[in-house]
Structure formats: C-alpha cells, structure tokens
Amino acid sequence: MKMPTGIRLTSEDLQLPLLDFFKRFCREFGWVPSTIEQYTRYIEIVDEKLDGAPFEEIDEPNFREAVQKVREQSRRKKPYSDRTLEMMVSIFRDLCRFAERCSDGLYFDVCANQAWRVSPTAETKKPAGKKTKADIARERREQIQRATRLPRSLTLLQEQHLIRQLTHNYVRRGSYMALAMMLYLGMRPSECLGLTFGDIRPLYGYQDEIRCLYIYKQRKEDNAVDYRLKTRNAYRILPIPSELDALLRQREKGMRTRLDGDLSAYPIVCKDTKWIEPCKRRTALE
C-alpha cells in the first residue's frame, strides 16, 4: 500500500467521523476506484456501529466491539466472512498509521504493536431462561465499563481538552482539583485527597514568592488519613507551577466567600456540594 506523504492533518480532520475521515483521504492511498468503493461500504457499516464517533477518539477496543456488532448483525442476514471482517480491521489500521505519520504529533497510532485478529465465527448460545434483575444489572455494568474504558495514556489533543475542562470548572467542581494536581505535579490520587489548604506553604526563605505543596500524608479509600506514604521518597516538597497556583488561589478565594475562619484544615479536593468534606477517590478519578 502506498503511504501518503506531504499531507498535514489538522485537529479538525481528526475530529471527523470515521466515514468522513476515510472519504476525505482515501484517494491518497493509491487504491483504484473499485477498491475505494468496496472499502467505503465496509467503513460505512462499521461507522454505523460507532455512532459517528470522532476518528481521534476511536481506539482498538471500540473498533473491535464495532466489528463484533457487525458480525452479530450479519448472522441474521447474509453473514460476513472472517476475511471480510479482517479487511475492515486492516483498513482501520492503515488509517491509524496514516494519521500518526501526517499529524505532526497530534495523533498516536492506537493499533501500533497490536496483534489482534477477528475471532473465528462461533454459534451464539441461546439463553437458557429469562434474564434475572442481577443478570441485567451485570450486563449494564459491563456495558458502562466498555463505554468508559480509557487508553493507558492520553493523546496530545485529549490532554489539551482535559486542561480546558479543568481551567473552566475548577471553581464549581472540587473533584477537578485532584485531576489538576495529578496532571501538573504527577501526584498519586491518594496524595491529592490527603491535602488541605494548610499544606500549601511558601518555600523556606522566599515568603509567598514560591508556594509549594508539602506531601507527607494520604487519604485511603476508607477516608482515613494515613501518614505512611508508599515509599520513603514519597515525602517531598513540590513547587507549584504558575498555572496550577492560579487555580488554587482562585479556588481558595471562592471558598472564602462560602466559609468563615481559617481554611487550613479544609481539604483541597472536596465534594462539589459540600466544601468541608473530602472527595472520595473514585469520584475524583471519574
């Protein structure tokens, strides 16, 4: 296959749905018109199962699930062969490789180093009986987990989107402060939840010019404060970057309009509606 060169993708290109992204750039691959027509039908079928998701947000589990849906639907009509389903996967891999090469770091190939194939066709077993409420609840939880599954690392565009969300919602959402500190300082979730405003202190000898976070405790899942950190090197003093410091100052200013007295004992990462109660770890990460 001829890999296109001399093309520079923009963020707007990467936000196109899979089908539109394919139609815009398919002629750059050197495919003949009949091949493009056939591949377009394949991509159109898969894109329907992805509900028009932007190309940059489609990862390997999403595409695998979409292909599996195509298989299940085709069983009721004219079944697709494993070779045809593998071709759908191959087209997506080519698009991912092309997007990484031509996006100047805006996109990273989600199929790189992935040795995955469409599982062989197998007969679906009919349910033995009527589903119970527990079965329905379990399937619903599994569906939510698949829908909210995140890659191990964020792309550059996803990091930029996360920063925009944090900088616009930090006053209203106390849980966002945990994400901000993890993003800017690389802190562990339990360390973020253990911080209070009293842990923000100036660096010795610099008064208020350089503010730091003093990390010496964490908050466990049972909401108990633990002064034993994960390692000996976990006890540290972290200078606060200017952008994060601005968020913390605005957050503190907003809390002073709602609370009286000293804020040093109040948690930085608190519940969105209850400013004096620490946020739970799972809420902060969600």
Side-chain angles (χ1 to χ4, degrees):
M1 183 201 68
K2 173 187 174 184
M3 183 58 66
T5 57
I7 299 176
R8 291 295 175 265
L9 301 181
T10 64
S11 59
E12 288 76 13
D13 294 329
L14 297 172
Q15 292 171 4
L16 291 172
L18 176 62
L19 179 60
D20 294 342
F21 184 85
F22 175 82
K23 288 182 177 180
R24 177 172 294 187
F25 299 105
C26 61
R27 292 174 178 80
E28 305 294 336
F29 288 81
W31 294 322
V32 298
S34 59
T35 300
I36 292 178
E37 183 179 355
Q38 182 183 17
Y39 286 1
T40 301
R41 290 197 299 268
Y42 292 161
I43 294 299
E44 186 175 4
I45 293 170
V46 180
D47 188 55
E48 292 179 357
K49 307 305 177 185
L50 293 169
D51 298 326
F55 175 78
E56 65 177 1
E57 296 182 7
I58 303 173
D59 57 9
E60 180 262 337
N62 297 142
F63 197 83
R64 183 197 295 272
E65 184 178 357
V67 173
Q68 187 63 28
K69 289 180 179 179
V70 172
R71 178 197 293 280
E72 296 294 336
Q73 183 179 10
S74 68
R75 287 175 181 171
R76 296 190 292 269
K77 300 178 181 178
K78 183 180 179 181
Y80 290 107
S81 65
D82 290 342
R83 183 181 180 85
T84 300
L85 297 174
E86 287 287 354
M87 182 59 66
M88 297 178 184
V89 173
S90 178
I91 299 169
F92 179 66
R93 295 172 77 102
D94 290 341
L95 292 176
C96 293
R97 189 159 55 249
F98 157 70
E100 181 181 52
R101 180 173 297 186
C102 300
S103 63
D104 286 336
L106 293 179
Y107 179 85
F108 298 94
D109 186 359
V110 298
C111 293
N113 302 321
Q114 294 285 346
W116 49 286
R117 296 176 57 86
V118 177
S119 56
T121 305
E123 294 295 331
T124 304
K125 294 183 179 180
K126 296 183 179 180
K130 188 177 180 181
K131 293 183 179 179
T132 64
K133 291 184 178 180
D135 295 333
I136 296 175
R138 184 181 65 257
E139 291 179 358
R140 179 58 178 166
R141 286 195 301 269
E142 293 175 353
Q143 182 181 4
I144 294 175
Q145 289 176 355
R146 290 194 299 268
T148 58
R149 185 183 302 160
L150 295 176
R152 292 184 178 181
S153 59
L154 301 179
T155 65
L156 179 60
L157 288 177
Q158 289 172 335
E159 287 188 4
Q160 293 173 347
H161 177 71
L162 176 60
I163 291 175
R164 286 195 297 268
Q165 291 294 320
L166 295 178
T167 54
H168 285 82
N169 296 282
Y170 63 91
V171 174
R172 181 169 55 88
R173 299 291 304 274
S175 56
Y176 278 22
M177 294 308 302
L179 292 175
M181 289 186 287
M182 284 188 282
L183 181 64
Y184 281 98
L185 297 174
M187 297 177 58
R188 298 182 177 92
S190 57
E191 295 173 345
C192 297
L193 300 181
L195 288 173
T196 63
F197 282 97
D199 297 324
I200 303 176
R201 299 195 289 272
L203 188 64
Y204 180 77
Y206 286 88
Q207 297 183 358
D208 202 33
E209 299 174 8
I210 302 179
R211 300 210 308 168
C212 299
L213 281 172
Y214 286 70
I215 313 300
Y216 60 93
K217 63 181 183 296
Q218 62 180 343
R219 190 177 296 275
K220 295 183 176 181
E221 294 185 1
D222 59 0
N223 222 21
V225 176
D226 187 2
Y227 291 89
R228 296 173 300 176
L229 299 184
K230 186 174 182 180
T231 64
R232 182 181 302 177
N233 295 330
Y235 298 87
R236 59 202 187 277
I237 300 174
L238 301 177
I240 304 175
S242 57
E243 292 184 2
L244 178 60
D245 190 39
L247 297 182
L248 290 170
R249 290 180 185 272
Q250 290 293 330
R251 179 72 181 172
E252 187 175 357
K253 181 180 178 181
M255 291 186 66
R256 291 189 183 280
T257 62
R258 296 167 172 82
L259 301 172
D260 298 327
D262 187 14
L263 300 181
S264 60
Y266 292 149
I268 297 176
V269 183
C270 60
K271 293 185 177 180
D272 298 333
T273 57
K274 298 180 180 180
W275 294 65
I276 62 175
E277 294 187 16
C279 179
K280 293 184 178 180
R281 175 172 177 171
R282 183 172 181 179
T283 304
L285 294 178
E286 289 177 348

